[in-house]
Amino acid sequence: MTASLRPIDLDRLPAWIDRSAAEYAADLVTTGKSADEAARQAAEGMAESFPNGELSPGHAVFDVMDGDAVVGYLWIGPDTSGDESSWWIWDVLVEPGQRGRGLGREAMRLGEEYARAQGAHSIGLHVFGFNTAAHRLYESLGYETTSIRMRKRLE
C-alpha cells in the first residue's frame, strides 16, 4: 500500500461537492436531524465553503490515490479561527471497499505534511460520535479530544 494525494480535477469539483454534501447530510441524519434539515445544513455549509462552486482561498481537495486508482478524498484548509497557522481536515473519506488497508492513515499523514508546508502549526477535525473507527484512527495519529458535545433524547 502506497497512498498519495492528487489535486482533484476542477471539472470534477461540482460532483465532489454534491457527494460530500450528501455524505455529510447522511451523517447528520444518523445523529438525529430530519432529512430536510440535514440536507439544508449540508447545502448551506458547502455553499459557504465553495462560493460559486469554487475552492475557497487556501483550501485544497485531493483524490486519495492507491497507484492509479482513486480510493477516497481529502479536503483540507485553514480553520475558521482567523489564525493562519491553524488548519482543519474538513472532510476525509476512504471508499468502503478500500478501508482497513492503511490508506486513511496515510492520507491523514500526507494531509498533515501538506498543511505543515503551507505554514500550519496545528490541525484539527470533527468526528461524529457514532464513527468509532475514525475516532480510534485519529487518536492513534496523535489527535486529542478538545471538546465533547452530548445529547439525550427526551421522548
Side-chain angles (χ1 to χ4, degrees):
M1 179 283 316
T2 53
S4 61
L5 299 179
R6 179 182 72 189
I8 193 169
D9 292 329
L10 292 181
D11 61 333
R12 288 186 39 240
L13 187 61
W16 177 85
I17 291 171
D18 290 345
R19 178 183 181 186
S20 182
E23 290 167 347
Y24 181 49
D27 287 343
L28 291 172
V29 168
T30 301
T31 69
K33 291 199 181 286
S34 72
D36 288 344
E37 173 61 17
R40 183 195 61 73
Q41 186 175 338
E44 286 177 359
M46 292 308 262
E48 183 179 321
S49 296
F50 296 91
N52 301 315
E54 298 176 0
L55 283 168
S56 294
H59 287 247
V61 176
F62 295 100
D63 286 323
V64 176
M65 307 297 297
D66 181 17
D68 292 334
V70 177
V71 295
Y73 60 77
L74 172 72
W75 168 22
I76 190 169
D79 73 12
T80 58
S81 70
D83 176 357
E84 293 180 12
S85 71
S86 294
W87 272 51
W88 198 256
I89 304 279
W90 292 98
D91 198 2
V92 60
L93 176 133
V94 172
E95 299 294 350
Q98 302 295 324
R99 294 177 184 163
R101 300 178 41 224
L103 296 165
R105 175 177 300 282
E106 185 65 4
M108 293 293 293
R109 189 191 67 73
L110 292 168
E112 292 169 9
E113 223 173 78
Y114 175 82
R116 197 175 293 110
Q118 305 305 308
H121 291 123
S122 69
I123 192 162
L125 53 80
H126 171 268
V127 60
F128 284 104
F130 64 82
N131 196 343
T132 55
H135 192 234
R136 283 192 305 268
L137 170 64
Y138 303 145
E139 281 185 332
S140 76
L141 289 167
Y143 287 77
E144 300 171 339
T145 300
T146 57
S147 67
I148 296 175
R149 193 165 88 179
M150 298 174 76
R151 177 180 66 194
K152 178 180 180 179
R153 290 187 188 273
L154 301 176
E155 306 289 331

